[in-house]
Amino acid sequence: MANSARTIVTVSKSTCRLLHLPPSASNNLHGSFSLSYPPPRNSNSNPNFYSTRNGIPTSRFCSLFNTSFNGATFSSSTRTPSMPIKLRSHAFARNPIRSKTPKPQHPLSPDSSFESLKSKLLAKTPLLSSPDFKILPFRKGWPLVSCNCEKGNDDSASGWGLGWISLADCQSLLALFGSQVTEDLLVYLGSSVEDDAVYWAIDFSGDDNLAEELGQKQLSFIELRTLMVATNWADSWAMGQLAVAGHGRALLDWHRTSRFCGHCGERTVPTEAGKRRECSNQSCKLRIFPRVDPVVIMLVIDQENDRALLSRQSRYVPRKWSCLAGFMEPGESLEEAVIRETLEETGIEVGEVIYHSSQPWPVGRSTMPCQLMVGFFAYAKSLDIKVDKAELEDAQWHNREDVKRALTLSEYEKTQRTAAAKVEQMCKGVESRHNQSADFNSEDSGLASMFFPGPYAIAHQLISSWAYQDNGK
């Protein structure tokens, strides 16, 4: 759209209630406006908290959709600009080495790096020429971690870093147990032009002795959910490390579950530095790309914008509540999935659906290498709840003050520090086994009638942004 073009923003009355705008705002407005909530503590410690364009935050956008469950149509005006929401980056998002992938002709691009890798592996003597190859081992989806971090040593430090090893170290480790590094074992994660480095992931799941050997160097394979809880949101460096680990876990899990062609049944082989796989049958040669499973997650709000619909699953600990969520089905839009899932699980009819943000979620079911959580606010057209007991244990309306109280009393910061201390102990070999469920349960202070997932989850961001919308600037 040309800069001189006139932009019309159409705002419904229910959206005015959500944004606490005057009723007159439901008429056509000119210009843009933002929906925000108070940033979590220590947000000022990160000056690069938001990316901006012409002074406007661009990290998250909220788009308006006018939807109707009974009608067969969904509409979104192309004249309606996105509404920025001032949010911290979600856990597993903003991967620092994935966002800067060089163009194909660049020496650090996936194809060029893969050719360089093959040259190094074929060389009888070590090649000292650039780029520097750094490898992150995984074992059964758990990344290698070190507590000897070189960055983030201030009060916001998370106390852990990824356990990168060199190509030579990787070769030596495998040689100890009669194996060797081949190019099809390594998966390209990204590169850094500033450091002249290429980053790879490798799966060490086949040999327990490798874990013992690495443990002697104060390196430990740690479950990704535990690292998620242990990461301080104010530590931007560790947040980037978490995103890299999530990307690596998702890719390796996808490779593990895609070893055979779904068309002819023959074995598949990795190509393009692990970015895709291809059937080895020359008459088939089916190309397979990494799998992403989209999931809608929604905070359903009543028409008065005073209460939110929260649910419990049978696997939850007592007093834990969260948002409704469900997988998309073939042939439906995101908005249709929100409406269908809400009706199926709670009997509540939904009208207007408003996009909030999305989050990569590589810590879901093992058969689904990476889910994409797509978050929405949704307005209820009815209030009577009819819970599908096959899906949920319970669902109830909760008022804003009760939600605020639960958010205030939850011990998220204490939980993060406790998890970070456990990660350090595991790296040092002090604690060999770790009950990750204790990390999540410790968020509950026991003083409120309920508690929610921690700030690492998009459910928390949906709930807190609604609860504190009055405080937005």
Side-chain angles (χ1 to χ4, degrees):
M1 182 180 291
N3 293 334
S4 60
R6 188 180 186 189
T7 302
I8 304 298
V9 181
T10 303
V11 185
S12 68
K13 292 181 180 179
S14 56
T15 303
C16 290
R17 286 192 292 270
L18 175 63
L19 302 176
H20 279 212
L21 296 174
S24 60
S26 62
N27 300 321
N28 286 343
L29 301 177
H30 304 285
S32 63
F33 53 92
S34 64
L35 167 67
S36 63
Y37 76 100
R41 300 175 188 175
N42 298 326
S43 62
N44 294 331
S45 63
N46 183 0
N48 298 319
F49 186 80
Y50 308 116
S51 59
T52 62
R53 180 178 300 165
N54 297 326
I56 300 175
T58 60
S59 58
R60 293 290 178 266
F61 296 96
C62 178
S63 302
L64 213 59
F65 294 90
N66 295 319
T67 62
S68 171
F69 177 76
N70 293 321
T73 62
F74 297 84
S75 64
S76 173
S77 173
T78 57
R79 297 177 300 173
T80 304
S82 298
M83 296 185 297
I85 292 185
K86 300 174 183 177
L87 290 179
R88 284 189 174 232
S89 171
H90 286 300
F92 303 114
R94 292 193 183 181
N95 185 328
I97 60 175
R98 181 181 173 85
S99 60
K100 301 177 181 179
T101 302
K103 294 182 178 179
Q105 64 271 21
H106 194 280
L108 300 185
S109 68
D111 290 340
S112 299
S113 298
F114 189 63
E115 293 302 318
S116 179
L117 171 67
K118 289 194 292 185
S119 297
K120 287 192 175 186
L121 292 177
L122 291 173
K124 295 182 179 179
T125 58
L127 295 178
L128 301 179
S129 59
S130 63
D132 180 21
F133 286 174
K134 297 183 179 181
I135 301 173
L136 180 61
F138 283 78
R139 182 173 180 271
K140 298 180 180 179
W142 297 19
L144 188 66
V145 172
S146 169
C147 62
N148 299 318
C149 306
E150 298 178 357
K151 299 184 180 181
N153 55 4
D154 56 13
D155 292 338
S156 68
S158 298
W160 65 270
L162 295 177
W164 299 101
I165 62 175
S166 67
L167 178 59
D169 287 339
C170 186
Q171 290 174 309
S172 299
L173 281 169
L174 289 178
L176 287 175
F177 304 100
S179 301
Q180 62 179 355
V181 178
T182 57
E183 63 267 17
D184 60 338
L185 295 179
L186 296 171
V187 175
Y188 180 90
L189 295 181
S191 62
S192 171
V193 176
E194 294 83 359
D195 298 331
D196 192 26
V198 181
Y199 300 91
W200 306 82
I202 189 170
D203 190 356
F204 276 1
S205 299
D207 200 327
D208 293 337
N209 293 325
L210 285 172
E212 297 176 6
E213 182 71 21
L214 290 165
Q216 297 177 9
K217 304 179 185 297
Q218 294 199 351
L219 297 166
S220 178
F221 292 102
I222 297 180
E223 209 273 342
L224 198 56
R225 282 179 174 265
T226 299
L227 292 180
M228 176 179 69
V229 179
T231 302
N232 188 338
W233 280 54
D235 186 352
S236 59
W237 179 80
M239 286 291 286
Q241 294 273 290
L242 184 66
V244 172
H247 179 211
R249 187 259 169 96
L251 278 179
L252 289 177
D253 276 8
W254 168 72
H255 278 283
R256 177 180 56 82
T257 58
S258 305
R259 290 176 293 179
F260 296 92
C261 177
H263 179 66
C264 70
E266 291 292 329
R267 285 190 173 272
T268 61
V269 293
T271 61
E272 297 183 8
K275 293 181 65 177
R276 67 178 178 88
R277 297 183 72 90
E278 186 173 287
C279 179
S280 59
N281 183 351
Q282 292 301 308
S283 63
C284 178
K285 301 193 71 173
L286 178 70
R287 295 192 300 172
I288 308 169
F289 294 89
R291 172 176 170 174
V292 177
D293 297 284
V295 179
V296 292
I297 180 168
M298 49 278 185
L299 185 67
V300 180
I301 306 164
D302 68 358
Q303 288 292 328
E304 286 69 34
N305 192 28
D306 293 328
R307 295 181 297 171
L309 181 64
L310 299 174
S311 64
R312 280 183 46 79
Q313 295 186 17
S314 58
R315 60 185 176 85
Y316 286 0
V317 296
R319 296 187 294 113
K320 181 178 180 179
W321 296 81
S322 189
C323 299
L324 297 173
F327 287 94
M328 289 187 64
E329 293 186 354
E332 72 177 352
S333 68
L334 291 163
E335 299 77 39
E336 289 173 312
V338 169
I339 293 171
R340 175 186 54 78
E341 283 287 343
T342 304
L343 184 64
E344 288 178 356
E345 294 186 354
T346 66
I348 299 292
E349 290 190 17
V350 165
E352 190 174 43
V353 177
I354 301 175
Y355 173 71
H356 179 270
S357 60
S358 61
Q359 177 184 28
W361 195 248
V363 291
R365 302 174 185 174
S366 59
T367 55
M368 298 180 180
C370 187
Q371 298 168 18
L372 177 65
M373 310 296 292
V374 188
F376 294 89
F377 291 123
Y379 282 109
K381 296 170 62 177
S382 61
L383 297 176
D384 293 335
I385 301 172
K386 299 178 182 178
V387 176
D388 180 357
K389 292 295 184 178
E391 296 285 341
L392 301 174
E393 182 179 275
D394 196 8
Q396 295 181 14
W397 291 103
H398 297 268
N399 65 54
R400 191 187 307 273
E401 291 307 313
D402 287 343
V403 172
K404 282 185 178 180
R405 174 177 170 80
L407 289 168
T408 302
L409 295 176
S410 294
E411 299 182 330
Y412 299 118
E413 293 180 358
K414 179 181 177 181
T415 300
Q416 184 273 320
R417 293 193 299 268
T418 301
K422 290 181 179 179
V423 169
E424 181 177 0
Q425 292 175 346
M426 293 172 71
C427 290
K428 293 180 177 179
V430 177
E431 184 174 336
S432 58
R433 300 184 66 182
H434 178 58
N435 181 9
Q436 57 176 302
S437 62
D439 293 335
F440 311 114
N441 298 345
S442 62
E443 294 164 350
D444 175 21
S445 65
L447 299 177
S449 59
M450 57 183 168
F451 72 105
F452 316 115
Y456 45 78
I458 190 174
H460 180 99
Q461 302 304 321
L462 287 167
I463 293 168
S464 60
S465 58
W466 171 77
Y468 290 110
Q469 67 188 55
D470 293 347
N471 299 43
K473 301 297 182 183

